[in-house]
């Protein structure tokens, strides 16, 4: 099964160049048999630009996720933590 994800152009470029090896999401798919991510590149591109297969889904705290692969995130730590901040507040 495939799922469509909207990803900012900055991160799409990093995914396809190999700099960003992990795609972080605040919510994990409810459907467990997702195997492929179809990438919709957001504004200004606004189109489907490719896809990749999921190797594994890892669910953990933002800090532990960061520590798994800090050199392959394609994002600065402060932006990474800011992205998850809303989810953390919702969990409290």
């Amino acid at each position: 099964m495939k799922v469509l994800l909207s990803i900012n152009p900055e991160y799409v470029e990093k995914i396809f160049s190999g700099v960003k090896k992990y795609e972080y999401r605040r919510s994990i798919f409810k459907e467990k048999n997702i195997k492929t991510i179809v990438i919709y590149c957001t504004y200004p591109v606004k189109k489907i630009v490719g896809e990749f297969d999921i190797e594994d889904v890892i669910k953990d705290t933002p800090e532990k996720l960061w520590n798994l692969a800090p050199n392959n995130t394609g994002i600065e730590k402060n932006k990474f933590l800011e992205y998850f901040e809303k989810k953390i507040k919702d969990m409290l």
Side-chain angles (χ1 to χ4, degrees), residues 2 5 14 21 31 35 46 54 66 72 79:
K2 294 183 180 187
L5 291 183
K14 289 179 179 183
K21 296 185 180 189
E31 191 68 42
K35 302 292 182 215
K46 301 192 299 186
I54 297 173
W66 178 266
N72 296 308
K79 283 187 176 182

Side-chain angles (χ1 to χ4, degrees), residues 6-52:
S6 296
I7 302 176
N8 291 330
E10 170 187 3
Y11 301 116
V12 169
E13 182 179 316
K14 289 179 179 183
I15 289 168
F16 288 125
S17 72
V19 172
K20 188 173 191 306
K21 296 185 180 189
Y22 298 91
E23 177 56 26
Y24 299 101
R25 292 291 166 170
R26 288 185 283 246
S27 298
I28 293 179
F29 313 118
K30 291 178 184 174
E31 191 68 42
K32 300 297 180 201
N33 65 344
I34 305 292
K35 302 292 182 215
T36 304
I37 302 295
V38 177
I39 302 172
Y40 173 80
C41 189
T42 60
Y43 181 85
V45 178
K46 301 192 299 186
K47 67 179 181 178
I48 292 173
V49 294
E51 60 183 52
F52 61 88

Side-chain angles (χ1 to χ4, degrees), residues 24 62 65-66 75-84:
Y24 299 101
L65 289 173
W66 178 266
I75 187 172
E76 293 126 20
K77 187 174 183 180
N78 64 332
K79 283 187 176 182
F80 173 87
L81 294 174
E82 184 180 299
Y83 173 77
F84 281 104

